[in-house]
Amino acid sequence: EENMTVTEDFSRVENTYQMEAEVCITFSDFGIMQKVCNLLVEKLGTSVTISPPNFYHTPEALDTLRRQVCVAAVRNTRRKAQEVCQLFGQSLGKPLLIREEETKEWGGHIDSPVSNSLDSLTLQERIQNATAYASCRVFAVFEIQGKENKRNKLL
């Protein structure tokens, strides 16, 4: 209910009353949006008009994306460092320093729906225009443990 607004308009046309209602809903799940639209068309038939969706990202969603990208960058850096250590017969220890060097974002619409000038775009084009991308570059320093350290710890 907090993500829905309803505007109703009653009017008299000759000897009958006519009601028009506009329902605007903000969905966070594309699949649920499609199901609701299909249900409305199925139940109300031609008396309902469904406008093309407007896609946008909330600041919270973009913050989540940034965090996920940074964590993935650290995970990838650790995996690569581990592979290099294995190549030289060493084992990777704990991280000594992890620093986020650079974050880039592109695409997507932030906190406001796409303008009406894009009404002629297909649904796939609208989704593509609203998709947000991010990349993150990290710098990490890990402790390297030799094989002899592993043997001594086992004894």
Side-chain angles (χ1 to χ4, degrees), residues 7-31:
T7 307
E8 297 173 344
D9 181 38
F10 290 99
S11 60
R12 185 175 180 162
V13 179
E14 296 178 6
N15 291 333
T16 61
Y17 289 96
Q18 180 178 349
M19 182 188 95
E20 290 186 21
E22 179 181 83
V23 179
C24 295
I25 305 173
T26 302
F27 291 95
S28 59
D29 184 305
F30 187 77

Side-chain angles (χ1 to χ4, degrees), residues 3-148:
N3 295 330
M4 180 173 67
T5 58
V6 179
T7 307
E8 297 173 344
D9 181 38
F10 290 99
S11 60
R12 185 175 180 162
V13 179
E14 296 178 6
N15 291 333
T16 61
Y17 289 96
Q18 180 178 349
M19 182 188 95
E20 290 186 21
E22 179 181 83
V23 179
C24 295
I25 305 173
T26 302
F27 291 95
S28 59
D29 184 305
F30 187 77
I32 292 173
M33 180 202 72
Q34 284 183 312
K35 287 179 185 178
V36 169
C37 290
N38 289 340
L39 179 69
L40 289 172
V41 169
E42 178 185 318
K43 298 295 183 188
L44 299 174
T46 58
S47 66
V48 68
T49 303
I50 297 179
S51 301
N54 293 318
F55 298 104
Y56 66 96
H57 300 282
T58 63
E60 295 83 17
L62 291 174
D63 284 342
T64 299
L65 175 65
R66 285 183 203 107
R67 280 193 306 277
Q68 289 172 342
V69 167
C70 183
V71 168
V74 171
R75 187 180 302 121
N76 290 341
T77 301
R78 184 179 186 284
R79 190 176 305 125
K80 287 179 184 179
Q82 204 164 23
E83 289 175 12
V84 170
C85 283
Q86 288 173 353
L87 185 67
F88 292 107
Q90 306 291 315
S91 63
L92 190 66
K94 64 183 179 183
L96 302 175
L97 171 69
I98 298 175
R99 183 176 56 231
E100 189 174 355
E101 294 279 308
E102 179 182 29
T103 301
K104 291 183 184 177
E105 299 172 26
W106 63 98
H109 297 282
I110 303 169
D111 212 16
S112 62
V114 179
S115 70
N116 291 336
S117 65
L118 300 176
D119 283 343
S120 62
L121 295 178
T122 67
L123 183 60
Q124 287 79 15
E125 290 169 329
R126 286 171 170 264
I127 292 170
Q128 185 176 4
N129 284 343
T131 301
Y133 301 92
S135 69
C136 180
R137 188 174 51 145
V138 296
F139 175 81
V141 177
F142 294 95
E143 183 178 71
I144 296 177
Q145 300 169 338
K147 281 188 175 183
E148 61 278 350

